Amino acid sequence: MQTNTAGEVRLSRYKAWDLPTRLFHWINLLLVLLMMTIGGVMMFKSDFGISGLDAKIGLKTLHVWIGYAFAINLAFRLLWGLFGPIKARLGKLLPKKGELAGYRAALKKGENPQYLGHNPAGKLAVIALFGLLTLIMVTGLVRAGTDIFYPPLGGMVQEYIAADGVEPASLKPYDDTGVNPDKAAAIKGAKGLAGKVHVYSVYLLLLLILLHIVAVIHAERKRQPGIISAMFSGNKYLPTTPVDKD
Ligand code: HEM
């Protein structure tokens, strides 16, 4: 730890998160909250006094439109994590051999290692978060196609299930007119599975988000002050050289 002549701890400023990464984080939080709210209303619509096919399809359509914004934001972050600057790379999330054990041993010894990016425990949480978000995005897009014929798969689904001689684009969601029943039955399994995985992943995501928030507040108060403000400003002010400084 560096101190000045008066014995005060000297903090050095380090650039931790770039602007695109921070923007992704806060936009993602906002959209996930919005999607969870709309998804919740969809699940319990009768409790909200919402009934009728038009309202049901309307809610799903709204969910899907906001889902596109969520998917674009996530896809951008995944690409930024592959082609963006080193600090934003997803490869940095993979813990190195013995890294987590070393971190826990250091904490046990009363040391307080500082990190520019995530600490080794945080890396595992972020990998799980990205995995779940991606699964929710993929299953959501599958559901959007199979349920209400929305892109990117909706056109293909309509073409597949349309009865002979029926114009695929004329098929309407939740309406069997012009549908080949055998073909509709053939995709039912995949459609149901995507729906189940989508919803259970959301439950798991909710749990992980709560854990993430508790862990971040704990780290902020006990070990790594300033990690929350760093996700706004991009900067971390650290008393020692960070372990993961390139
Ligand atoms: C973090 C983001 C997301 C959350 C929290 C979320 C949440 C939910 C929830 C709770 C449901 C269940 C509603 C029900 O059973 O009636 C649902 C269904 C659905 N979601 Fe999402 N969703 C997300 C992302 C997406 C995306 C990206 C899309 C596609 C663009 C999408 C498309 C759908 C569709 C079409 C349904 C209806 C499925 C059905 O009727 O079973 N979702 N979502």
Side-chain angles (χ1 to χ4, degrees):
M1 190 173 312
Q2 296 155 356
T3 52
N4 63 16
T5 48
E8 292 161 336
V9 175
R10 262 188 36 208
L11 299 176
S12 305
R13 189 174 76 163
Y14 296 91
K15 195 93 204 122
W17 309 118
D18 58 25
L19 183 65
T21 302
R22 284 178 278 147
L23 279 176
F24 158 76
H25 180 271
W26 296 117
I27 292 172
N28 185 58
L29 171 69
L30 206 80
L31 292 174
V32 167
L33 288 179
L34 204 57
M35 293 299 276
M36 281 188 173
T37 308
I38 300 169
V41 174
M42 284 156 67
M43 284 176 100
F44 303 105
K45 55 185 174 307
S46 49
D47 297 324
F48 289 96
I50 301 170
S51 60
L53 189 59
D54 284 349
K56 178 176 165 168
I57 295 175
L59 273 175
K60 286 187 182 198
T61 307
L62 176 68
H63 185 79
V64 167
W65 275 110
I66 301 173
Y68 288 145
F70 161 84
I72 288 168
N73 191 45
L74 180 59
F76 163 77
R77 178 63 183 96
L78 296 178
L79 289 174
W80 193 242
L82 291 178
F83 305 111
I86 293 286
K87 278 184 202 149
R89 292 275 169 95
L90 296 176
K92 285 207 90 180
L93 291 175
L94 298 174
K96 295 183 198 93
K97 204 165 166 243
E99 196 183 15
L100 185 61
Y103 175 61
R104 294 177 69 173
L107 292 183
K108 262 200 179 142
K109 278 194 272 174
E111 291 169 11
N112 191 14
Q114 298 293 314
Y115 293 85
L116 258 192
H118 304 286
N119 68 42
K123 282 183 185 178
L124 296 180
V126 175
I127 290 174
L129 281 167
F130 272 129
L132 269 181
L133 290 170
T134 306
L135 194 59
I136 290 169
M137 171 181 77
V138 171
T139 51
L141 289 171
V142 170
R143 243 354 248 214
T146 51
D147 205 44
I148 54 171
F149 307 142
Y150 263 64
L153 301 176
M156 269 186 326
V157 171
Q158 283 175 310
E159 228 159 81
Y160 179 71
I161 65 170
D164 288 344
V166 172
E167 170 57 39
S170 70
L171 298 189
K172 295 197 172 57
Y174 294 91
D175 183 346
D176 288 340
T177 316
V179 169
N180 176 326
D182 294 333
K183 289 191 167 173
I187 62 160
K188 210 173 162 194
K191 181 178 167 181
L193 181 67
K196 280 207 176 79
V197 174
H198 191 68
V199 172
Y200 284 110
S201 306
V202 170
Y203 290 146
L204 211 56
L205 178 70
L206 188 58
L207 195 75
L208 264 185
I209 290 173
L210 292 175
L211 262 174
H212 173 65
I213 293 172
V214 170
V216 164
I217 292 175
H218 179 76
E220 169 84 32
R221 295 185 56 208
K222 301 281 178 198
R223 288 197 287 274
Q224 294 162 284
I227 59 169
I228 296 176
S229 62
M231 201 36 99
F232 289 98
S233 69
N235 300 319
K236 284 189 179 177
Y237 297 85
L238 304 175
T240 52
T241 308
V243 180
D244 54 347
K245 187 172 183 295
D246 307 306

